[in-house]
Amino acid sequence: MCGRFAITLPPEAMAQLFEAVPGNDLPVVPNYNVCPTNQVHGVVSAEGRHRLTAMRWGFLPHWYKTTGDGPLLINARAETIAEKPAFRTAARERRCLIPASGFYEWTKDGDGNRLPWYIHRTDGAPIAFAGVWQDWERDGTQLTTCAIVTTGANGTMSRIHHRMPVVLAPGDWAKWLGEEGRGAAALMVAAPEEALTMHRVDPAVNSNRASGERLIAPVEA
């Protein structure tokens, strides 16, 4: 799964990287501890151009009467996304890229303590998660919401967890966004093992209130 990540790239750099028109309500960066229900950056393809826009991380199906009306859908499993009522239309029609600098996963030691790891691209480049999005409205509240697509872990990630987010290579961004015809389903696979690396980080990130660059600094494993 993916339950926490970091984004340090300035909005203008994200806009340049994804050739996108930035919105005027984008989340503040850097954020080294992006948590579920936070606002995140999403790249969508609309009217022949890319748009960089704010989205709530936590997909809200149209039948939810409130934001807490059902499970918090921060991830969508690649294996079932085309079948699940919450995601199947979005998987066909509303796919997005979710920029990140890296993401966190946890293992446990012999005493049950949660040990955080920070995972990022080996080449240091930004990550683009595969995502799906949905507009939701109730009683005058309007939200654009999203979920990150996950798949089975590659060999690197499997050392610490059995699942991982779908990390898209730049050459696949257009296809995921629906700009190059069919074939997006084939992209929902694990990134090559050599694409990602990881290191242990301080347990301070276990708190969703923690912040700052120290959260991604390596510590001795």
Side-chain angles (χ1 to χ4, degrees):
M1 65 174 294
C2 180
R4 209 88 69 78
F5 67 92
I7 177 65
T8 64
L9 204 61
E12 56 272 19
M14 280 187 262
Q16 183 176 6
L17 177 64
F18 296 103
E19 299 180 342
V21 178
N24 56 13
D25 60 345
L26 297 173
V28 174
V29 289
N31 185 347
Y32 293 91
N33 195 5
V34 181
C35 302
T37 74
N38 285 174
Q39 292 287 295
V40 300
H41 301 80
V43 179
V44 300
S45 180
E47 300 176 348
R49 62 173 58 184
H50 292 168
R51 297 186 182 277
L52 180 65
T53 187
M55 298 181 174
R56 174 193 186 266
W57 185 20
F59 190 97
L60 295 176
H62 64 83
W63 60 82
Y64 276 26
K65 294 182 175 63
T66 69
T67 57
D69 199 28
L72 182 58
L73 304 176
I74 61 170
N75 293 155
R77 291 175 66 96
E79 298 88 345
T80 58
I81 192 171
E83 305 163 6
K84 292 289 186 180
F87 297 123
R88 61 190 178 198
T89 303
R92 292 194 308 267
E93 302 174 3
R94 294 186 301 277
R95 298 189 296 270
C96 63
L97 308 174
I98 300 174
S101 300
F103 60 98
Y104 299 96
E105 196 49 80
W106 281 261
T107 55
K108 289 185 177 180
D109 64 15
D111 297 322
N113 298 309
R114 298 179 75 226
L115 307 176
W117 297 75
Y118 183 65
I119 303 98
H120 57 96
R121 283 183 57 110
T122 305
D123 60 10
I127 287 172
F129 295 137
V132 291
W133 65 275
Q134 166 95 10
D135 282 332
W136 180 88
E137 182 176 1
R138 279 291 187 281
D139 301 325
T141 298
Q142 298 179 341
L143 297 171
T144 299
T145 70
C146 66
I148 294 170
V149 182
T150 65
T151 189
N154 63 20
T156 300
M157 276 295 299
S158 64
R159 290 182 290 155
I160 61 171
H161 201 270
H162 66 286
R163 295 195 65 79
M164 65 182 292
V166 173
V167 175
L168 296 170
D172 293 328
W173 294 350
K175 181 167 286 188
W176 182 254
L177 292 175
E179 298 169 342
E180 294 184 352
R182 298 179 180 273
L187 303 178
M188 293 189 290
V189 295
E193 292 187 21
E194 68 275 9
L196 300 174
T197 187
M198 66 184 74
H199 58 261
R200 275 279 314 282
V201 293
D202 194 280
V205 77
N206 292 356
S207 169
N208 59 12
R209 298 179 181 177
S211 62
E213 188 174 3
R214 66 190 176 95
L215 298 182
I216 66 171
V219 300
E220 186 174 343

